PDB file of all heavy atoms in Angstrom:
ATOM      1  N   ARG U  74     -40.234  12.438  35.333  1.00 77.00           N
ATOM      2  CA  ARG U  74     -41.522  12.061  35.930  1.00 77.00           C
ATOM      3  C   ARG U  74     -42.689  12.492  35.038  1.00 77.00           C
ATOM      4  O   ARG U  74     -43.801  12.680  35.507  1.00 77.00           O
ATOM      5  CB  ARG U  74     -41.633  12.687  37.314  1.00 77.00           C
ATOM      6  CG  ARG U  74     -40.584  12.109  38.277  1.00 77.00           C
ATOM      7  CD  ARG U  74     -40.631  12.730  39.638  1.00 77.00           C
ATOM      8  NE  ARG U  74     -41.892  12.439  40.296  1.00 77.00           N
ATOM      9  CZ  ARG U  74     -42.292  13.059  41.399  1.00 77.00           C
ATOM     10  NH1 ARG U  74     -41.566  13.978  41.944  1.00 77.00           N
ATOM     11  NH2 ARG U  74     -43.452  12.753  41.938  1.00 77.00           N
ATOM     12  N   ALA U  75     -42.423  12.612  33.742  1.00 79.00           N
ATOM     13  CA  ALA U  75     -43.475  13.025  32.815  1.00 79.00           C
ATOM     14  C   ALA U  75     -44.637  12.034  32.810  1.00 79.00           C
ATOM     15  O   ALA U  75     -45.800  12.428  32.681  1.00 79.00           O
ATOM     16  CB  ALA U  75     -42.910  13.181  31.406  1.00 79.00           C
ATOM     17  N   GLY U  76     -44.331  10.743  32.957  1.00 84.00           N
ATOM     18  CA  GLY U  76     -45.391   9.734  32.993  1.00 84.00           C
ATOM     19  C   GLY U  76     -46.334   9.937  34.169  1.00 84.00           C
ATOM     20  O   GLY U  76     -47.553   9.817  34.028  1.00 84.00           O
ATOM     21  N   GLU U  77     -45.765  10.250  35.331  1.00 87.00           N
ATOM     22  CA  GLU U  77     -46.595  10.506  36.509  1.00 87.00           C
ATOM     23  C   GLU U  77     -47.455  11.755  36.302  1.00 87.00           C
ATOM     24  O   GLU U  77     -48.611  11.786  36.722  1.00 87.00           O
ATOM     25  CB  GLU U  77     -45.726  10.688  37.753  1.00 87.00           C
ATOM     26  CG  GLU U  77     -45.140   9.398  38.260  1.00 87.00           C
ATOM     27  CD  GLU U  77     -44.377   9.597  39.554  1.00 87.00           C
ATOM     28  OE1 GLU U  77     -44.618  10.606  40.267  1.00 87.00           O
ATOM     29  OE2 GLU U  77     -43.533   8.747  39.848  1.00 87.00           O
ATOM     30  N   PHE U  78     -46.883  12.772  35.668  1.00 85.00           N
ATOM     31  CA  PHE U  78     -47.643  13.983  35.394  1.00 85.00           C
ATOM     32  C   PHE U  78     -48.858  13.654  34.519  1.00 85.00           C
ATOM     33  O   PHE U  78     -49.974  14.100  34.797  1.00 85.00           O
ATOM     34  CB  PHE U  78     -46.757  15.026  34.709  1.00 85.00           C
ATOM     35  CG  PHE U  78     -47.483  16.291  34.375  1.00 85.00           C
ATOM     36  CD1 PHE U  78     -47.705  17.248  35.350  1.00 85.00           C
ATOM     37  CD2 PHE U  78     -47.958  16.522  33.093  1.00 85.00           C
ATOM     38  CE1 PHE U  78     -48.387  18.425  35.050  1.00 85.00           C
ATOM     39  CE2 PHE U  78     -48.641  17.690  32.787  1.00 85.00           C
ATOM     40  CZ  PHE U  78     -48.851  18.642  33.767  1.00 85.00           C
ATOM     41  N   ALA U  79     -48.646  12.846  33.494  1.00 88.00           N
ATOM     42  CA  ALA U  79     -49.743  12.462  32.592  1.00 88.00           C
ATOM     43  C   ALA U  79     -50.801  11.655  33.336  1.00 88.00           C
ATOM     44  O   ALA U  79     -52.011  11.849  33.132  1.00 88.00           O
ATOM     45  CB  ALA U  79     -49.196  11.674  31.408  1.00 88.00           C
ATOM     46  N   GLU U  80     -50.361  10.744  34.209  1.00 90.00           N
ATOM     47  CA  GLU U  80     -51.319   9.955  34.992  1.00 90.00           C
ATOM     48  C   GLU U  80     -52.139  10.837  35.920  1.00 90.00           C
ATOM     49  O   GLU U  80     -53.352  10.641  36.065  1.00 90.00           O
ATOM     50  CB  GLU U  80     -50.584   8.886  35.798  1.00 90.00           C
ATOM     51  CG  GLU U  80     -50.060   7.741  34.943  1.00 90.00           C
ATOM     52  CD  GLU U  80     -49.454   6.656  35.795  1.00 90.00           C
ATOM     53  OE1 GLU U  80     -50.202   6.050  36.601  1.00 90.00           O
ATOM     54  OE2 GLU U  80     -48.243   6.427  35.663  1.00 90.00           O
ATOM     55  N   ARG U  81     -51.473  11.809  36.578  1.00 90.00           N
ATOM     56  CA  ARG U  81     -52.213  12.718  37.458  1.00 90.00           C
ATOM     57  C   ARG U  81     -53.237  13.511  36.652  1.00 90.00           C
ATOM     58  O   ARG U  81     -54.368  13.703  37.087  1.00 90.00           O
ATOM     59  CB  ARG U  81     -51.246  13.688  38.163  1.00 90.00           C
ATOM     60  CG  ARG U  81     -50.481  13.074  39.295  1.00 90.00           C
ATOM     61  CD  ARG U  81     -51.326  12.792  40.538  1.00 90.00           C
ATOM     62  NE  ARG U  81     -51.879  14.024  41.059  1.00 90.00           N
ATOM     63  CZ  ARG U  81     -53.138  14.174  41.484  1.00 90.00           C
ATOM     64  NH1 ARG U  81     -53.980  13.171  41.458  1.00 90.00           N
ATOM     65  NH2 ARG U  81     -53.560  15.320  41.936  1.00 90.00           N
ATOM     66  N   ALA U  82     -52.842  13.972  35.456  1.00 90.00           N
ATOM     67  CA  ALA U  82     -53.767  14.724  34.603  1.00 90.00           C
ATOM     68  C   ALA U  82     -54.948  13.875  34.173  1.00 90.00           C
ATOM     69  O   ALA U  82     -56.040  14.381  33.938  1.00 90.00           O
ATOM     70  CB  ALA U  82     -53.021  15.262  33.382  1.00 90.00           C
ATOM     71  N   ALA U  83     -54.729  12.545  34.091  1.00 92.00           N
ATOM     72  CA  ALA U  83     -55.801  11.627  33.698  1.00 92.00           C
ATOM     73  C   ALA U  83     -56.638  11.162  34.888  1.00 92.00           C
ATOM     74  O   ALA U  83     -57.587  10.403  34.709  1.00 92.00           O
ATOM     75  CB  ALA U  83     -55.205  10.422  32.976  1.00 92.00           C
ATOM     76  N   GLY U  84     -56.271  11.614  36.106  1.00 93.00           N
ATOM     77  CA  GLY U  84     -57.107  11.304  37.261  1.00 93.00           C
ATOM     78  C   GLY U  84     -56.519  10.330  38.270  1.00 93.00           C
ATOM     79  O   GLY U  84     -57.154  10.039  39.282  1.00 93.00           O
ATOM     80  N   THR U  85     -55.333   9.795  38.044  1.00 93.00           N
ATOM     81  CA  THR U  85     -54.712   8.897  39.011  1.00 93.00           C
ATOM     82  C   THR U  85     -54.377   9.680  40.275  1.00 93.00           C
ATOM     83  O   THR U  85     -53.840  10.784  40.203  1.00 93.00           O
ATOM     84  CB  THR U  85     -53.421   8.268  38.435  1.00 93.00           C
ATOM     85  OG1 THR U  85     -53.743   7.607  37.224  1.00 93.00           O
ATOM     86  CG2 THR U  85     -52.804   7.286  39.404  1.00 93.00           C
ATOM     87  N   SER U  86     -54.688   9.115  41.433  1.00 92.00           N
ATOM     88  CA  SER U  86     -54.451   9.832  42.688  1.00 92.00           C
ATOM     89  C   SER U  86     -52.983   9.730  43.108  1.00 92.00           C
ATOM     90  O   SER U  86     -52.254   8.832  42.691  1.00 92.00           O
ATOM     91  CB  SER U  86     -55.325   9.250  43.803  1.00 92.00           C
ATOM     92  OG  SER U  86     -54.845   7.966  44.182  1.00 92.00           O
ATOM     93  N   GLU U  89     -52.358   6.342  44.734  1.00 93.00           N
ATOM     94  CA  GLU U  89     -52.118   5.259  43.773  1.00 93.00           C
ATOM     95  C   GLU U  89     -50.694   5.307  43.244  1.00 93.00           C
ATOM     96  O   GLU U  89     -50.036   4.266  43.146  1.00 93.00           O
ATOM     97  CB  GLU U  89     -53.112   5.346  42.614  1.00 93.00           C
ATOM     98  CG  GLU U  89     -54.548   5.010  42.998  1.00 93.00           C
ATOM     99  CD  GLU U  89     -55.494   5.234  41.817  1.00 93.00           C
ATOM    100  OE1 GLU U  89     -55.423   4.418  40.871  1.00 93.00           O
ATOM    101  OE2 GLU U  89     -56.261   6.196  41.876  1.00 93.00           O
ATOM    102  N   LEU U  90     -50.207   6.488  42.904  1.00 90.00           N
ATOM    103  CA  LEU U  90     -48.829   6.620  42.417  1.00 90.00           C
ATOM    104  C   LEU U  90     -47.839   6.212  43.503  1.00 90.00           C
ATOM    105  O   LEU U  90     -46.859   5.514  43.222  1.00 90.00           O
ATOM    106  CB  LEU U  90     -48.544   8.047  41.974  1.00 90.00           C
ATOM    107  CG  LEU U  90     -49.226   8.501  40.687  1.00 90.00           C
ATOM    108  CD1 LEU U  90     -48.993   9.988  40.470  1.00 90.00           C
ATOM    109  CD2 LEU U  90     -48.728   7.704  39.498  1.00 90.00           C
ATOM    110  N   ARG U  93     -47.210   2.538  44.014  1.00 89.00           N
ATOM    111  CA  ARG U  93     -46.368   1.947  42.974  1.00 89.00           C
ATOM    112  C   ARG U  93     -44.935   2.447  43.056  1.00 89.00           C
ATOM    113  O   ARG U  93     -44.113   2.159  42.180  1.00 89.00           O
ATOM    114  CB  ARG U  93     -46.932   2.247  41.598  1.00 89.00           C
ATOM    115  CG  ARG U  93     -48.300   1.616  41.351  1.00 89.00           C
ATOM    116  CD  ARG U  93     -48.692   1.680  39.896  1.00 89.00           C
ATOM    117  NE  ARG U  93     -48.490   2.976  39.289  1.00 89.00           N
ATOM    118  CZ  ARG U  93     -49.459   3.784  38.837  1.00 89.00           C
ATOM    119  NH1 ARG U  93     -50.718   3.414  38.941  1.00 89.00           N
ATOM    120  NH2 ARG U  93     -49.168   4.931  38.286  1.00 89.00           N
TER     121      ARG U  93
END
Side-chain angles (χ1 to χ4, degrees):
R74 295 178 64 192
E77 286 185 21
F78 179 80
E80 287 185 63
R81 284 288 299 137
T85 304
S86 72
E89 290 175 72
L90 289 173
R93 296 192 313 246

